[in-house]
Amino acid sequence: ATVTGFTFDGVVPWIDGQILIVVNAGAVNLLTLLMETGSSPENQLYGPLDLTLLPHDAAMFVYSSTLDKLVKS
């Protein structure tokens, strides 16, 4: 299955240092996380490059009130 155009919005306001862990629970498909695009600014992921998670892989992000973004940790 392929999911495209998913945005991450409507979350309770973030607190500085709050952690978000994204897990690709699939056994076959890759999960690509796009940096600084799609969702409202305070829900965007921040990092040097887009990130592709392999099956059963995970990534951790920490909210930065300075950047107003979730920063790849």
Side-chain angles (χ1 to χ4, degrees):
T2 300
V3 177
T4 59
F6 177 80
T7 57
F8 184 67
D9 270 334
V11 177
V12 175
W14 292 96
I15 298 169
D16 198 41
Q18 191 169 353
I19 294 172
L20 170 71
I21 297 176
V22 179
V23 177
N24 181 359
V28 179
N29 295 327
L30 301 177
L31 173 64
T32 301
L33 305 174
L34 303 178
M35 301 297 138
E36 299 191 78
T37 188
S39 301
S40 58
E42 66 275 7
N43 292 324
Q44 290 180 351
L45 304 175
Y46 181 81
L49 300 170
D50 293 344
L51 178 65
T52 300
L53 298 179
L54 301 173
H56 307 293
D57 199 2
M60 184 169 82
F61 296 85
V62 178
Y63 183 75
S64 165
S65 60
T66 302
L67 296 172
D68 198 26
K69 302 221 186 281
L70 290 152
V71 180
K72 173 73 174 86
S73 155

